[in-house]
Amino acid sequence: MTETRPAPPPPLPPGSTIGIVGGGQLGRMTAMAAARLGYRCHIFAPEAAPPAGDVAAAVTRADYEDTAALDAFAGQVQAVTCEFENVPATALQRLAGHVPVRPGPEVFAVAQDRLAEKRFLNKAGLATAPYHAVASASDVAAALAALGGQGLLKTTRLGYDGKGQVRLGGPVSADDAWASLNAPTGIVEGWVDFSREVSVIVARGGDGAMASYEPVENVHRDGILRTSTVPARISQATADQATDVARRVARAFDLVGLVAVEMFVARDGTVLVNEIAPRPHNSGHWTIDACACSQFEQCVRAVAGLPLGVTARHSDAVMSNLIGEDATRWADLAAEPGVCLHLYGKDKALPGRKMGHVTRLAPRTAAGTLS
Ligand code: AMP
C-alpha cells in the first residue's frame, strides 16, 4: 500500500555516503542494502570491531558524547540514519546541525523513553496497555492494585530484548521488583492477555509517501524475539487495523525513514501498541528474502530520498533468530536446502546475543485469511 503527496526532495546520487550511527547487525544489513544501490556507508560506533564495520566503507570508533568525532563524521557523510535507538538524542541533535538526520532526533527522544512513547501514542489516538509512571516501591504497589493485580514493571529508558523488566502479581514483591530495577523511575504496565503479537514496518519518504509491509506474527521467549512468521494468523480486519496504526505512528512523527510498530492483538481483536522502533527491526528480517525490496533497502531509499520500493512479498516466510549457541549449528544450517542463512560476524556466542538468523520460504499463500 502506498500513499503520496507532491514535491519529492532530490535524491542522493549513487556514490554518496550515508552515515549510520550504531554498528550492530541492523547497520550491517543496512550497509549491504546501501551498497547494492551504489552508496557507501560510514559507521559511527563506540565498540571495537562492530559487525557493521565489516561491510562499510569507513568506521569512526568514538563515544556518542565525543562532539569532535561527531562533527568530523558529519563532515564526511551526506545523510545520517541510526540503527540503534538508544543513541543519546544530544548526539543526533549535534549531527542534525550539519547534515540531515533521518528519522530526526525528536523521534529518537520519544522512542527512548517508554513513558514519552506511551504519551505520544495516546495523544495520537492510539491505544496502549494501561500504565502508571512510578518512582518508588509504594508507587509500584499502588499501580499494580489499580491495574487489577497483574502487570510488568519496566525501566523507562534503555530497555530492550526484555531487559529491565520484572513480572508483577506473582512471587516477586513490589519492594523486590523495585529494588531489582535499579533505576530512578519506571513504568508499570497492565498485563495484556494477548492472542498474538504482530508488528508492522512502515517506510515514509520526505515527500510523505508511505510503504508498509504486511503484519508479521512474532513469538518472544524470555523477552527476546524468537520467530517472525508471514502471513500472521490474524483476520483481514485485524491486519488492516494493525497497518493503519503503524501508518498513523509514521504520520504522527512526520517521519522520514523507517519505523517498526510492535503490537499486541488482544483476545477481543483490539490492537494495542507495545513499542516503536524508528529503524529497521528484527521482525522485518524476513523481507530480505521474501520481498523484492527489503526493510533495509527501504530504509536506505527513504534516507536517500529515492522513491520507496514495493513491499509485496513473493513467498511465505518464517524467520528464526540464532541466539547464543544456536549459531554453532551454522554448518548444518548452511547445508539445509533452501534455507536463507544470515550470520552477523560476531565472535562470542554469549547467551541471549543475536548471532544471526535464518529465513525459510514457502510458496505464497493469502494474507489475513486466518482468525
Ligand atoms: P518489550 O521489551 O516491552 O517489547 O517486551 C518484550 C516482550 O514481553 C513483549 O514482546 C511481550 O511478549 C512481553 N510483554 C511486554 N509487555 C507486556 C504486557 N504489558 N503484557 C503482556 N506481555 C508483555
Side-chain angles (χ1 to χ4, degrees), residues 85 87-90 92-93 104-114 116-117 157 253 278:
E85 75 254 31
V87 174
T90 48
L92 298 179
Q93 277 150 3
E106 65 291 349
V107 180
F108 285 88
V110 171
Q112 283 169 359
D113 184 310
R114 285 188 199 277
E117 182 178 89
R157 301 182 72 82
F253 275 124

Side-chain angles (χ1 to χ4, degrees), residues 11-368:
L12 292 181
S16 304
T17 303
I18 297 174
I20 301 179
V21 181
Q25 64 269 16
L26 300 174
R28 180 182 174 99
M29 291 183 271
T30 303
M32 289 160 78
R36 207 175 75 163
L37 292 173
Y39 297 117
R40 297 186 173 86
C41 285
H42 184 153
I43 308 299
F44 188 108
E47 65 268 34
D54 290 351
V55 298
V59 179
T60 294
R61 183 183 177 193
D63 287 335
Y64 297 125
E65 286 80 17
D66 184 338
T67 51
L70 289 167
D71 292 348
F73 170 72
Q76 295 171 67
V77 301
Q78 282 73 58
V80 169
T81 194
C82 235
E83 66 107 39
F84 168 62
E85 75 254 31
N86 287 324
V87 174
T90 48
L92 298 179
Q93 277 150 3
R94 178 123 197 151
L95 293 171
H98 301 282
V99 67
V101 176
R102 297 170 178 152
E106 65 291 349
V107 180
F108 285 88
V110 171
Q112 283 169 359
D113 184 310
R114 285 188 199 277
L115 202 54
E117 182 178 89
K118 288 220 171 19
R119 287 179 176 147
F120 175 88
L121 290 163
N122 293 164
K123 198 166 158 229
L126 301 170
T128 59
Y131 62 93
H132 293 267
V134 293
S136 67
S138 59
D139 285 355
V140 172
L144 187 62
L147 292 167
Q150 293 294 321
L152 275 171
L153 172 62
K154 300 182 179 182
T155 49
T156 39
R157 301 182 72 82
L158 302 179
Y160 67 99
D161 283 350
K163 291 188 174 66
Q165 295 193 10
V166 193
R167 180 81 161 90
L168 300 169
V172 181
S173 71
D175 282 337
D176 289 347
W178 177 248
S180 73
L181 202 66
N182 194 25
T185 57
I187 178 170
V188 174
E189 279 182 28
W191 184 256
V192 179
D193 181 25
F194 55 80
S195 60
R196 313 244 180 259
E197 286 190 86
V198 298
S199 55
V200 173
I201 292 167
V202 190
R204 188 164 179 276
D207 58 351
M210 291 203 278
S212 51
Y213 292 93
E214 186 176 313
V216 57
E217 181 174 340
N218 300 319
V219 174
H220 293 80
R221 202 166 63 240
D222 303 327
I224 304 180
L225 182 69
R226 303 291 157 157
T227 61
S228 293
T229 304
V230 273
R233 291 168 299 165
I234 53 177
S235 66
Q236 187 61 53
T238 302
D240 291 346
Q241 202 187 328
T243 302
D244 180 57
V245 165
R247 285 173 164 251
R248 284 169 63 185
V249 170
R251 225 181 275 120
F253 275 124
D254 196 16
L255 181 107
V256 180
L258 210 66
V259 65
V261 181
E262 290 187 80
M263 291 167 263
F264 300 124
V265 181
R267 299 214 176 264
D268 64 2
T270 320
V271 170
L272 304 174
V273 179
N274 174 31
E275 259 193 338
I276 54 174
R279 52 163 174 78
H281 193 257
N282 193 169
S283 67
H285 291 358
W286 63 274
T287 61
I288 301 174
D289 301 303
C291 301
C293 179
S294 74
Q295 64 162 348
F296 298 102
E297 177 173 337
Q298 204 72 269
C299 176
V300 171
R301 283 173 171 261
V303 170
L306 291 174
L308 300 178
V310 165
T311 51
R313 64 183 165 83
H314 50 69
S315 300
D316 289 2
V318 181
M319 186 289 309
S320 305
N321 272 331
L322 301 175
I323 296 172
E325 291 290 309
D326 293 348
T328 58
R329 293 168 37 233
W330 59 269
D332 290 342
L333 291 165
E336 189 183 318
V339 85
C340 305
L341 175 62
H342 302 255
L343 297 171
Y344 305 151
K346 298 182 182 177
D347 50 357
K348 290 196 191 70
L350 302 173
R353 192 172 193 206
K354 291 175 180 166
M355 303 298 291
H357 72 267
V358 289
T359 301
R360 295 180 175 87
L361 301 175
R364 188 183 195 284
T365 55

